[in-house]
Amino acid sequence: MKRFKDGSFDTIITSPPYNIGKMHSNNLQFGTYANNDMKEEDYQKWQTEILNECYRILEDGGSMFYNHKVRIKKGVATHPLEWILKSDFILKQEIVWDMGKSANCDKIRFFPFSERIYWLVKNPKTKLYNENKLSDVWRVVPTHKRKEEGHIAVMPDEIVENIVDALPNVKKVYDPFGGSGTTLKVCKSRNIHCEISEIDINLKSTIEKKAREEKILLRLVSKQVY
């Protein structure tokens, strides 16, 4: 992100690695990806630094939408607000993403079916236009298959669609954790300029595959993501 000038984008949409180690569904493990198994203190510091860089490259009236979740490790819940509120951003709204299912249906607790999407801004007067009359709870059930997508946790198109459809003046979008390319795909479908970065080199082929399917022209700018 260092290569971007201050105020380069009007919108940032992203979902970083959650730092939960190997992804699993009860007793089944699906692997992991880059920066997903850090010491928690280092992870939170890193995420705060990422958020502050996003703050720098976001224009003054822009919006960032940051997807994360309440993680439970060793019986203790850790909330994303623990580091979000340490960043330079103003928290505008918390949106609950009701996924309708969970990879961890353990009867020792209520099943964690939700994630969060945080609307972050630089100016408290920043507004969106909720033309689709959405509430702050979005029920979007993921339907992707890991092997087909080439990614462990794919963000559904509908999440990004809900966001960009509420931003009538969106022109230039950035996703610092491009993942499988969902943000890129949705922006292309709406003729919105989009740039992405991805820290995991193993996802390069996944992004390129989606770009071919959606007829998106990719241009590799730098191998150094952060």
Side-chain angles (χ1 to χ4, degrees), residues 31-207:
T32 189
Y33 40 78
N35 288 47
N36 196 41
D37 194 12
M38 302 170 65
K39 291 183 179 179
E40 183 62 24
E41 182 180 356
D42 294 339
Y43 175 78
Q44 293 194 22
K45 181 175 181 291
W46 176 54
Q47 283 301 294
T48 303
E49 291 170 351
I50 292 293
L51 286 171
N52 286 341
E53 267 298 282
C54 288
Y55 183 95
R56 180 186 65 80
I57 65 174
L58 187 69
E59 66 179 35
D60 288 343
S63 293
M64 178 172 183
F65 292 86
Y66 178 78
N67 168 224
H68 216 290
K69 74 174 189 176
V70 178
R71 295 164 297 140
I72 302 172
K73 283 187 177 182
K74 298 180 179 179
V76 179
T78 302
H79 202 288
L81 288 178
E82 291 186 29
W83 62 88
I84 291 175
L85 295 178
K86 293 178 182 177
S87 76
D88 295 332
F89 274 109
I90 296 168
L91 175 62
K92 187 76 173 181
Q93 191 171 22
E94 181 181 50
I95 299 157
V96 175
W97 171 11
D98 174 10
M99 304 175 74
K101 60 181 181 179
S102 174
N104 301 303
C105 291
D106 192 328
K107 293 180 181 178
I108 65 171
R109 65 177 65 89
F110 298 111
F111 299 158
F113 277 21
S114 68
E115 294 195 2
R116 304 292 188 273
I117 300 166
Y118 297 96
W119 178 20
L120 308 174
V121 299
K122 300 175 78 168
N123 186 334
K125 294 183 179 180
T126 300
K127 299 178 182 179
L128 51 71
Y129 179 56
N130 187 11
E131 184 176 14
N132 293 332
K133 300 178 181 179
L134 299 176
S135 75
D136 59 0
V137 178
W138 298 352
R139 184 174 177 83
V140 180
V141 180
T143 58
H144 69 275
K145 292 179 173 59
R146 291 176 172 88
K147 290 184 178 180
E148 292 178 3
E149 292 285 347
H151 192 282
I152 296 169
V154 177
M155 179 181 285
D157 293 1
E158 189 176 344
I159 296 295
V160 181
E161 290 168 352
N162 286 350
I163 294 168
V164 297
D165 287 351
L167 302 170
N169 297 318
V170 59
K171 294 179 181 177
K172 198 170 182 181
V173 174
Y174 178 57
D175 185 347
F177 296 97
S180 67
T182 299
T183 303
L184 189 68
K185 174 187 174 183
V186 172
C187 287
K188 169 65 166 54
S189 71
R190 283 156 169 72
N191 295 315
I192 299 169
H193 177 84
C194 180
E195 298 186 33
I196 67 172
S197 301
E198 176 49 55
I199 198 168
D200 192 338
I201 192 64
N202 295 318
L203 290 174
K204 181 172 179 286
S205 59
T206 299
I207 295 170

